[in-house]
Amino acid sequence: PGVAGCGGAADDIDAIIDFSSRGPTADNRIKPDIAAPGHDITGARSSVATYSCACDPAGGTGCCQSTGVDPLNKYSAYSGTSQAAPRVAGAAAVVFDWFNDHFGAFPSPAMTKAILINGAVDVKAPDVPNFNEGWGRINLTTSLASPVGALYTDQTTILGPTADAAAFTTSGVAQDPSRPVTVTLVWTDPAGAVSCNPCLVNDLDLLLTQGATTW
């Protein structure tokens, strides 16, 4: 999924940093999908790469502190959405393994993405989804909580290169009416045409109905 970078230990983990990737897409879809810490993240330091401070010409630590953080300079604190993306990749690997343990099958890429999005937590003000954080900051605790009554319906229909007009309906019962119900729809779409706008081939809509009320 598209990823935004939020503050790390040196900043507010629930604040989207100024250099983070932001949406929307050219056809106005919401991007990024999710956010993860990406500021002053410690990782292995390359022995050959040249580190620079393109985001801060004055040489400050705004977005690219590249100084070593250990005596042997084997690790470096660095910032960017390239630091946030590996966290999401690692979280996706955990979801992949967790799903197989629980259901005896590997999740599709769409299911993995849906689980991460469904458990994301809002950054600061309750205003998700938006073009800064998508559906919020990644949170495996909530993504893998397995609440009673949770339904996981993985893809069984392959979406083709032409728009499919099929409808799919599923139903469930809220086990605890005092808690919110969250529903996430994710699909893997075929690649759009070169220079497309919009690029969606299958533009799906999610309708949630309770009695006579539909959202």
Side-chain angles (χ1 to χ4, degrees):
V3 179
C6 51
D11 295 286
D12 187 348
I13 195 171
D14 282 327
I16 302 298
I17 206 160
D18 57 357
F19 61 80
S20 179
S21 299
R22 286 172 166 79
T25 63
D27 53 8
N28 209 42
R29 286 176 290 122
I30 293 174
K31 287 291 178 180
D33 299 296
I34 206 164
H39 184 234
D40 279 353
I41 303 299
T42 298
R45 181 178 173 85
S46 171
S47 61
V48 296
T50 300
Y51 292 87
S52 63
C53 280
C55 299
D56 190 350
T61 59
C63 69
C64 48
Q65 178 182 350
S66 62
T67 55
V69 293
D70 64 299
L72 297 178
N73 285 332
K74 293 185 179 295
Y75 297 90
S76 177
Y78 208 70
S79 299
T81 49
S82 293
Q83 305 303 104
R87 287 175 173 258
V88 180
V94 172
V95 169
F96 192 83
D97 187 60
W98 173 89
F99 194 91
N100 184 48
D101 287 345
H102 280 71
F103 303 107
F106 294 122
S108 67
M111 174 59 77
T112 301
K113 181 176 176 179
I115 291 173
L116 290 175
I117 288 176
N118 192 268
V121 294
D122 214 334
V123 173
K124 298 288 187 183
D127 59 353
V128 294
N130 58 60
F131 297 135
N132 298 313
E133 61 183 293
W135 277 266
R137 175 171 54 79
I138 194 170
N139 188 317
L140 281 177
T141 299
T142 51
S143 284
L144 306 183
S146 293
V148 175
L151 298 175
Y152 299 88
T153 304
D154 210 344
Q155 62 189 43
T156 55
T157 300
I158 303 300
L159 299 178
T162 58
D164 294 317
F168 175 80
T169 302
T170 188
S171 61
V173 177
Q175 302 296 310
D176 185 352
S178 66
R179 300 183 64 183
V181 174
T182 59
V183 184
T184 304
L185 169 67
V186 175
W187 68 96
T188 299
D189 208 40
V194 176
S195 301
C196 56
N197 186 12
C199 290
L200 278 180
V201 177
N202 294 274
D203 188 0
L204 307 186
D205 295 312
L206 172 64
L207 299 178
L208 179 62
T209 300
Q210 179 184 19
T213 304
T214 298
W215 293 271

